[in-house]
Amino acid sequence: MDGVPRVPEQRRSGSQGPVALRFGVLGPVRAWRGEELLSTGSPQQRALLAALLLREGRTATAAELIDALWGEEPPSQALAALRTYASRLRKVLDPGVLVSESGGYAVRGLGDGSLDLSLAQEWATEAEKARGAGDLCHARDVLNRVLALWDGEPLAGVPGPYAEAQRVRLEEWRLQLLESRLDMDLEQGCHAEAVSELTALTAAHPLRERLRELLMLALYRSGRQAEALAVYADTRRLLADELGVDPRPGLRELQQRILQADPGLAEPSAPLAEPSAVPVRPAQLPATVPDFTGRSAFVSELSAVLASAEGRVMAVSALAGIGGVGKTTLAVHVAHQARGAFPDGQLYVDLQGAGARAADPETVLGSFLRALGTADSAIPDSLEERAALYRSVLDGRRVLVLLDNARDAAQVRPLLPGTSGCAALVTSRARMVDLAGAHLVDLDVMSPDEALSLFTKIVGGERVASEREAALDVVAACGFLPLAIRIAASRLAARRTWTVSVLAAKLADERRRLDELQAGDLAVKATFELGYGQLEPAQARAFRLLGLADGPDISLAAAAAVLDLPVEETEDLLESLVDTSLLESAAPGRYRYHDLVRLYARACAERDEQPPGERDAALCRLLDFYLSTAAGVYAIERPGDRLVDHLHPAGPVGLAFSDRQAARDWLYSEAVPLLACVRQFAGGTALRRAVDLLWASVDLAESGANSKEYEAAATLLRDAARAGGDVRAEGRASVVLSNARLFSGLFDRAYPEAQEAIQLAEATDDPLPSSWAANILGSIAFYQNRYTDAERFFSQAIEKFRGCGDLAGSASPLCNLSRLHLATGRADTAVALARQGTDIYQSLGHTLRGANGRYALGMALAKTGQHGEAAEQLEEALRVFRDSRQRLWEGMTLCRLAEVDLEACRPDRAAGHAEMALTVLRGIGGDWRRGHVLTVLGKALNGIGHSGRARVCWREALEMYERLGSPEADGVRGLLTPVAA
């Protein structure tokens, strides 16, 4: 029920059972019995109830209550009226709750948590204790629960001087709690999100300097130094005008520290975490092997280096050696032994340095920051900023970082903690002599005794004891390489009918290349040859074919498509390969190869797969799986859209989903391997299907989640189609590429691509790409203020979509045309066009695209003065965009809500919406869109008296527009001129 305080279930019963009374004063004065809202009578009667509740069980005399209700001028019959109110309240409340004693009244017998104010006080104390203990995550969570108890103005509508005084007190307390929680937000690195809330709060409480101070700090930590200084200037001017005073010393000191770029203002060490009772402590180390053998000297050496991290500079150890020598095994073992010295957590990453696509340090830093509790929106875009934030988050903490399989020192440097108390272990095939300050360890093969000990642990003492010489022959044939020994021993352990001599004979007679184990990577290849040779035919086929697919991992369903087998049979095969250590289980239902194993699997496929065409067929089945599934996802998101009818038929080989959520989850979870599959088909007969797969996965570009990778794949396909003379594929790839560039704000690069797409599509009589391209051209022309061209293109797009029977497709240019009419002063027709497009989407059940229609309709309604309905349309669109993970559209909808607020003369709300838009759009959408949001934010800030900040926003927007050559620059100059005058 609306208005019922959010009280934990275990606190609702109190001493009165499941239907105990509950009261609320942090809003209108209300009473409930269970979920039933009780009538508390007239305002004066509610005033009496409030006065008694606020005394929390203490008795109030009649004189005190009369003074509380009427002040210095009570009515002549005040005492009689007081008794009447008390009598009526007794009839409403449970017996024994409102009692008379000592000539006064009291409320007694309430259960634990039955008054929202008491609960708020209890939780506030809990939050204060948690903060004092350093548990900011829990403290912030509890404070949020406290603040959620407020339901508008405290004691709303209650008359009397006592209620007025209590309103002031409770509102002041709420602000203090807010400031405390916001302070913790900043301590936890949540500065970007805090800016929006603080902007609105400073507008509502302009003379509250602590809020201004927090806003300055939040802006500074968000990289907006000029705006932070402008807040100080605005505050100084306001205080002088309103109160004739200067800012307090704390505010002046903060301004000076910002001017000096004081390092002490850097982001604090406590990362933002999901609300929990304990701080985030990552524990990412892979499991250590139970049969770890030997290496005692190295273990002691590395452990001593890690122990030296306490109280001094960061310790770095770099282990180098050939593939399979046991670098990772040793590093993981040592890291587990040292965990106690690093109580704040352990981070791990496989940097994939031996593969063709080594891990990007920028991506790794994003993963580490998230693991340390930093919110996505607080993670900067550039490598340098992420590295700086990473070091700041680790400051004061004791964390061990294991960087496995590094390519070179350049890849490692941004990932080093850089603070005392932390340590890093690095493994690599390259000796990192250029990694300053690192303790270098060269790891060689095992000694004969260590090798035999490892072999014995895996195979079993009895089998080895009776054939010791044969066992020595085996480990010698393995070149004493740990990985080779482990695989050979595992093969033998799995085959009880074999003797050690049989294995030794096989190595001597059939695996002569094992002599090359001492020569770099060939050692690993020979080791894999041994394991591969013992696979059953079905296992060997699965091993070969799955290795053909690019991407970091592969799902069970995708693997089943590659192998052309049922999912259950595929899972049994893959799990058996995991048991042989030739495949890794990345997560439930996902599998991956070690990079060297993948190379070996591909070599086996080229050598052993018969007929040779089966390799191409396996990859084509993977492509068809992705295409079929992606087309199904597209159809669920966009019912009635004809794109799926124009895609290359892939057959019923994909997954089928029953709801949008599952379909959407699949698309985003499969984004990286899906795009990797697309890149593999940049050429050959399957190029057209790869282009169609990218087209069907357009949400990956439009959402901003994978826009860069998506655009790169589209460019690759376009170039391949052009080189191969496939005009149809080139036309479709050009549409996909121009669309991706449109959403990235790269209008100058998107426009010629879309022009080329139309020509190519018309040359091949391919109607749908031509329709899309016309709509894209219209959008670009519109953004560039070329309204005549835009109207022509949108009209063409509507005609083209209708010509190929795509009613859903025609709704998009209709909504775009609505925005054009709006920009050219035709607001009434703009509303009609937007309604027409929205009606089409609604008739087809288009949830996502329907939100785009509401977006256009909300803008049009705002311009006709229908601000209430405009906000409703945009709020509904915002809900859908958030649910659909469409960050680009989420951010732009927030910006449009800010514009509606400005139209409705609500600059404080506009500033909050615009700030949230900036946060959501970080790193996506391009500079043109950011410039637009900054322009709107400046208008909102100017409206709440933050004229200095407004100028800073407009100047930044002007710089962007001038750099882009956008006509919007003139409008921003106009905004700056009168403000500066």
Side-chain angles (χ1 to χ4, degrees):
M1 174 184 290
D2 292 342
V4 177
R6 283 160 282 191
V7 179
E9 285 296 332
Q10 67 270 24
R11 301 203 174 201
R12 291 189 174 181
S13 58
S15 62
Q16 302 295 321
V19 290
L21 291 174
R22 290 180 291 111
F23 299 91
V25 295
L26 299 178
V29 176
R30 290 169 293 188
W32 294 267
R33 181 178 289 109
E35 299 299 313
E36 177 191 1
L37 180 62
L38 305 178
S39 173
T40 51
S42 66
Q44 294 286 2
Q45 193 168 306
R46 292 199 302 275
L48 171 60
L49 178 60
L52 294 173
L53 288 171
L54 288 170
R55 281 168 170 77
E56 301 183 66
R58 298 187 303 276
T59 301
T61 67
E64 289 173 331
L65 292 173
I66 290 172
D67 184 62
L69 269 64
W70 291 286
E72 295 180 356
E73 298 182 1
S76 58
Q77 300 299 317
L79 183 58
L82 182 67
R83 290 170 176 167
T84 299
Y85 299 150
S87 175
R88 290 173 181 173
L89 283 172
R90 282 198 188 97
K91 294 176 181 178
V92 174
L93 306 179
D94 291 340
V97 170
L98 199 161
V99 299
S100 302
E101 61 181 27
S102 304
Y105 298 94
V107 170
R108 297 282 170 78
L110 298 183
D112 183 28
S114 58
L115 178 63
D116 57 1
L117 176 59
S118 300
L119 192 58
Q121 292 168 337
E122 178 185 338
W123 282 348
T125 301
E126 180 184 343
E128 186 177 353
K129 290 180 180 178
R131 187 175 187 181
D135 192 350
L136 296 183
C137 296
H138 183 58
R140 182 177 179 274
D141 175 37
V142 174
L143 271 186
N144 276 325
R145 282 188 278 147
V146 174
L147 292 166
L149 291 173
W150 262 263
D151 188 19
E153 182 185 50
L155 307 173
V158 175
Y162 179 77
E164 180 57 33
Q166 292 300 311
R167 260 193 297 273
V168 173
R169 178 182 71 84
L170 291 173
E171 177 59 17
E172 173 62 25
W173 186 45
R174 186 185 73 87
L175 287 173
Q176 291 173 359
L177 293 173
L178 256 178
E179 288 172 347
S180 180
R181 197 219 66 211
L182 285 162
D183 190 45
M184 285 188 281
D185 286 350
L186 299 188
E187 288 188 65
Q188 293 177 302
C190 196
H191 41 268
E193 294 85 346
V195 169
S196 175
E197 187 173 2
L198 283 164
T199 297
L201 285 169
T202 52
H205 308 278
L207 298 178
R208 200 170 182 94
E209 291 185 65
R210 177 55 179 159
L211 290 174
R212 300 267 182 158
E213 185 177 340
L214 290 169
L215 177 57
M216 288 175 65
L217 187 57
L219 285 166
Y220 179 74
R221 288 181 176 169
S222 298
R224 299 159 71 176
Q225 179 180 357
E227 281 188 72
L229 293 171
V231 170
Y232 178 81
D234 289 336
T235 305
R236 183 177 60 181
R237 182 174 57 253
L238 176 69
L239 291 174
D241 292 345
E242 296 289 331
L243 304 176
V245 298
D246 291 327
R248 61 184 179 82
L251 208 61
R252 295 199 301 271
E253 179 186 351
L254 179 58
Q255 182 222 19
Q256 290 301 312
R257 294 178 69 190
I258 290 175
L259 285 169
Q260 297 163 7
D262 184 350
L265 293 179
E267 294 158 18
S269 60
L272 178 68
E274 290 296 322
S276 61
V278 295
V280 173
R281 295 184 180 89
Q284 298 183 342
L285 294 178
T288 187
V289 294
D291 51 18
F292 182 84
T293 303
R295 308 297 200 187
S296 56
F298 288 114
V299 171
S300 299
E301 179 182 353
L302 291 170
S303 298
V305 173
L306 294 183
S308 71
E310 186 171 3
R312 59 184 292 273
V313 297
M314 172 194 61
V316 180
S317 290
L319 288 70
I322 63 172
V325 79
K327 302 182 295 294
T328 298
T329 302
L330 173 60
V332 170
H333 180 78
V334 171
H336 273 283
Q337 284 199 335
R339 285 184 63 176
F342 299 94
D344 295 316
Q346 305 85 40
L347 297 168
Y348 171 85
V349 65
D350 180 0
L351 294 173
Q352 304 175 42
R357 295 187 179 89
D360 178 13
E362 181 178 338
T363 303
V364 175
L365 284 170
S367 173
F368 278 179
L369 286 168
R370 280 187 287 271
L372 290 164
T374 307
D376 280 340
S377 57
I379 297 175
D381 298 324
S382 70
L383 172 62
E384 293 76 17
E385 288 177 316
R386 287 187 177 190
L389 176 57
Y390 171 62
R391 292 190 293 271
S392 297
V393 168
L394 288 179
D395 184 42
R397 305 178 75 180
R398 294 187 53 75
V399 173
L400 175 61
V401 183
L402 177 46
L403 305 172
D404 193 21
N405 196 14
R407 178 185 57 203
D408 51 32
Q411 186 189 26
V412 166
R413 288 190 192 99
L415 308 178
L416 297 178
T419 58
S420 62
C422 291
L425 274 174
V426 184
T427 73
S428 175
R429 296 182 192 180
R431 196 167 189 266
M432 295 191 176
V433 293
D434 53 344
L435 191 61
H439 175 80
L440 302 181
V441 175
D442 292 324
L443 196 60
D444 203 349
V445 296
M446 285 181 152
S447 69
D449 288 344
E450 288 177 332
L452 184 60
S453 177
L454 174 60
F455 183 81
T456 303
K457 282 186 177 181
I458 298 172
V459 173
E462 289 187 12
R463 296 177 76 182
V464 173
S466 60
E467 297 182 274
R468 179 177 173 80
E469 292 301 320
L472 287 171
D473 290 341
V474 168
V475 296
C478 290
F480 308 110
L481 195 71
L483 184 56
I485 296 167
R486 184 172 296 280
I487 293 177
S490 296
R491 295 293 95 208
L492 183 60
R495 286 158 176 77
R496 305 304 299 178
T497 58
W498 283 15
T499 63
V500 180
S501 298
V502 168
L503 176 59
K506 286 181 177 291
L507 292 175
D509 296 340
E510 301 176 12
R511 299 291 182 265
R512 296 179 181 177
R513 282 174 293 174
L514 286 176
D515 293 338
E516 300 176 8
L517 279 171
Q518 302 175 31
D521 291 343
L522 292 178
V524 178
K525 181 178 179 180
T527 301
F528 294 150
E529 190 75 39
L530 173 64
Y532 174 70
Q534 303 304 323
L535 296 178
E536 301 295 335
Q539 291 177 310
R541 175 179 177 269
F543 174 74
R544 294 191 301 267
L545 294 183
L546 292 179
L548 297 172
D550 282 347
D553 59 11
I554 190 168
S555 68
L556 176 59
V562 171
L563 301 178
D564 195 21
L565 293 172
V567 170
E568 294 79 6
E569 186 175 345
T570 300
E571 184 173 22
D572 290 341
L573 278 174
L574 300 191
E575 288 298 325
S576 70
L577 289 173
V578 170
D579 292 339
T580 68
S581 300
L582 289 174
L583 192 66
E584 298 176 15
S585 177
R590 303 200 71 87
Y591 299 87
R592 67 185 174 205
Y593 286 94
H594 184 282
D595 52 357
L596 293 178
V597 180
R598 184 195 299 278
L599 293 176
Y600 177 72
R602 290 181 175 179
C604 291
E606 293 176 3
R607 182 189 66 196
D608 300 339
E609 198 60 47
Q610 299 297 331
E614 175 58 12
R615 297 195 299 271
D616 292 337
L619 285 176
C620 284
R621 288 194 295 270
L622 178 63
L623 177 63
D624 284 343
F625 166 79
Y626 281 133
L627 176 55
S628 176
T629 309
V633 172
Y634 187 96
I636 287 178
E637 287 281 18
R638 299 168 175 82
D641 193 301
R642 291 293 308 281
L643 173 61
V644 292
D645 300 326
H646 289 257
L647 299 175
H648 191 287
V653 296
L655 298 175
F657 300 101
S658 58
D659 63 87
R660 289 180 63 238
Q661 184 66 44
R664 194 165 52 244
D665 288 346
W666 178 88
L667 180 64
Y668 288 102
S669 65
E670 287 292 317
V672 175
L674 183 152
L675 292 174
C677 179
V678 166
R679 290 192 296 268
Q680 279 193 276
F681 287 91
T685 57
L687 173 62
R688 292 187 177 185
R689 279 180 283 170
V691 172
D692 284 358
L693 170 56
L694 203 57
W695 198 359
S697 307
V698 65
D699 281 344
L700 296 179
E702 190 168 340
S703 68
N706 302 85
S707 53
K708 292 180 180 178
E709 298 86 351
Y710 186 96
E711 183 186 344
T715 303
L716 189 66
L717 294 183
R718 188 274 317 270
D719 293 344
R722 184 174 294 170
D726 190 333
V727 178
R728 180 183 176 89
E730 183 184 352
R732 293 190 168 205
S734 293
V735 166
V736 171
L737 180 57
S738 61
N739 195 53
R741 288 174 174 171
L742 168 64
F743 289 122
S744 296
L746 305 173
F747 304 140
D748 289 340
R749 295 176 62 193
Y751 193 80
E753 200 69 48
Q755 285 182 310
E756 181 77 6
I758 282 188
Q759 295 175 7
L760 295 169
E762 291 178 348
T764 56
D765 193 24
D766 197 3
L768 201 59
S770 177
S771 307
W772 276 57
N775 196 27
I776 292 168
L777 286 170
S779 297
I780 298 169
F782 171 72
Y783 288 136
Q784 295 175 336
N785 292 354
R786 296 186 289 110
Y787 296 142
T788 301
D789 289 341
E791 187 153 9
R792 173 168 54 88
F793 286 128
F794 287 145
S795 298
Q796 288 178 4
I798 294 169
E799 183 180 347
K800 288 174 179 288
F801 276 118
R802 288 173 175 170
C804 57
D806 194 341
L807 181 62
S810 70
S812 177
L814 276 169
C815 292
N816 289 335
L817 192 59
S818 164
R819 296 177 61 189
L820 175 63
H821 279 222
L822 200 62
T824 52
R826 294 171 282 177
D828 290 338
T829 54
V831 172
L833 287 166
R835 288 197 189 279
Q836 187 179 348
T838 304
D839 288 344
I840 291 174
Y841 286 137
Q842 289 181 332
S843 69
L844 296 171
H846 251 282
T847 302
L848 178 56
R849 280 292 168 251
N852 288 108
R854 292 179 184 275
Y855 175 90
L857 180 56
M859 294 175 63
L861 289 167
K863 286 297 184 183
T864 59
Q866 302 175 70
H867 301 133
E869 187 182 354
E872 289 177 7
Q873 295 289 345
L874 289 171
E875 290 284 1
E876 176 59 22
L878 181 64
R879 183 192 65 77
V880 173
F881 289 140
R882 281 176 173 163
D883 183 58
S884 302
R885 307 183 195 180
Q886 293 287 321
R887 279 181 58 204
L888 175 65
W889 286 111
E890 178 188 346
M892 290 310 299
T893 305
L894 286 165
C895 181
R896 300 307 180 191
L897 280 167
E899 291 175 325
V900 172
D901 290 331
L902 287 174
E903 291 274 350
C905 299
R906 298 189 296 259
D908 52 342
R909 290 183 56 182
H913 280 132
E915 278 291 353
M916 285 190 284
L918 275 185
T919 301
V920 172
L921 290 173
R922 288 186 65 193
I924 64 172
D927 285 349
W928 184 88
R929 291 184 176 90
R930 180 174 176 81
H932 181 79
V933 177
L934 284 168
T935 303
V936 174
L937 176 59
K939 292 178 181 179
L941 292 171
N942 196 51
I944 60 175
H946 295 198
S947 56
R949 259 188 86 190
R951 286 198 300 275
V952 172
C953 291
W954 289 335
R955 285 171 185 152
E956 185 180 349
L958 181 60
E959 290 175 6
M960 291 179 175
Y961 286 143
E962 287 179 339
R963 186 168 62 250
L964 295 171
S966 299
E968 285 81 3
D970 292 335
V972 178
R973 290 190 194 97
L975 290 170
L976 283 165
T977 302
V979 174

